[in-house]
Amino acid sequence: MQVTSWSKEQREMFSAALRAGTSIELVLSELGQRGRRAQRNLRVDEVAPLVDEIRIADATLQAAADTYRAPSRVEGRTDTVTAIIPSNRKTVMGINALRNQDVDVQVLILSNGECPTHVDGARVIRLPWEGHGATRARALEFVETEYVFFTVDDAIPQGEGCIRTLIDALNTGGWEAAVARQIPWPHSDAVTAARLRRWTPPGKRVVPTLQTDHVATLFRTETLKKYPIPNVPIAEDAWWSLHRRVAYVPMAPVLHSHARNPRALFERNRAIHAQ
């Protein structure tokens, strides 16, 4: 698919292609008056990690985009990772992206709802939902790999070197967890995108952060066995992060965002603050 403008219709097509795993080329070659307006709304740090090729007439934008490309594949890595995904959906996104990483990623789905018992490229285990903390902690019983990647069923790692980038960051600086960057879907509303940009901003180096986020965080398995995920109904990632050294790795992009209505956002924030 070729994206040639940043109109609402093209952004929606962009998102649909990302869901389908279609190869995407972003080409913005003619930028007139409307093009200059599009440039102001175009976040190259967000679209560059999502496309296979990007060509922009504006040399400054092109140079910026080139620095934000998703990490590509390297050969010869022997790292082993279990990606743990709690889900109650019929369709789990991101499985192909996880299986296509340049490290060995085994996908483990914890199903407590409509997820089928057989999913190509993944192992499905039926577990009753016992809250975010207890359910994820119990999943460690089924892990035999060196690393664990906690994620969710509507997140898609970008680039075949995304998980390896988290591993490399985790193994430098004495970190106990490594958090990926979350990029909003191209069709996201302005409020959703702005909230996510504040939570996981762009960057080009590993920096400390206050807490993990189980949308996309990598751990050593031995670390989780030493410091188990706490048995709490929500905000288990924040509780676990107390007194832990957590790295934020903006060079490891994961596509994930969803809008919340004001009532849902209020209820979620109230529950988290109660914890």
Side-chain angles (χ1 to χ4, degrees), residues 3 12 36 51 75 97 107 112 132 139 145 149 153 170 194 214 217 255 262 274:
V3 178
E12 291 174 347
R36 284 196 291 273
V51 299
E75 301 299 333
V107 180
N112 68 312
H132 288 275
T145 55
F149 181 61
D153 59 10
L170 186 65
H214 287 163
T217 297
L255 179 61

Side-chain angles (χ1 to χ4, degrees), residues 12 25 53 98 104 146 173 201 205 211 233 235 253 257:
E12 291 174 347
E25 179 186 21
E53 184 177 352
L98 288 165
D104 178 20
E146 184 178 2
R205 62 187 181 90
Q211 72 164 77
S257 67

Side-chain angles (χ1 to χ4, degrees), residues 3 25 49 60 78 90 108 158 162 175 188 200 219 228 255:
V3 178
E25 179 186 21
T60 301
T78 59
K90 291 182 179 180
L108 177 64
Q158 300 299 299
C162 179
W175 306 106
S188 294
T200 58
F219 306 83
L255 179 61

Side-chain angles (χ1 to χ4, degrees), residues 165-181:
T165 299
L166 290 170
I167 291 173
D168 290 345
L170 186 65
N171 289 327
T172 59
W175 306 106
E176 294 170 290
V179 182
R181 178 191 177 195

Side-chain angles (χ1 to χ4, degrees), residues 112-215:
N112 68 312
E114 297 183 356
C115 182
T117 56
H118 176 78
V119 177
D120 288 343
R123 179 185 179 191
V124 181
I125 295 176
R126 294 284 185 183
L127 284 180
W129 181 250
E130 299 173 337
H132 288 275
T135 304
R136 286 185 169 89
R138 188 176 173 191
L140 267 292
E141 301 172 12
F142 307 98
V143 172
E144 298 179 351
T145 55
E146 184 178 2
Y147 300 96
V148 169
F149 181 61
F150 278 144
T151 186
V152 291
D153 59 10
D154 58 349
I156 307 176
Q158 300 299 299
E160 294 180 346
C162 179
I163 304 300
R164 185 242 317 149
T165 299
L166 290 170
I167 291 173
D168 290 345
L170 186 65
N171 289 327
T172 59
W175 306 106
E176 294 170 290
V179 182
R181 178 191 177 195
Q182 297 175 51
I183 294 178
W185 286 85
H187 69 281
S188 294
D189 64 86
V191 173
T192 297
R195 291 182 69 248
L196 197 57
R197 289 162 188 159
R198 288 194 298 270
W199 180 244
T200 58
K204 300 174 184 177
R205 62 187 181 90
V206 178
V207 295
T209 188
L210 293 176
Q211 72 164 77
T212 61
D213 184 335
H214 287 163
V215 166

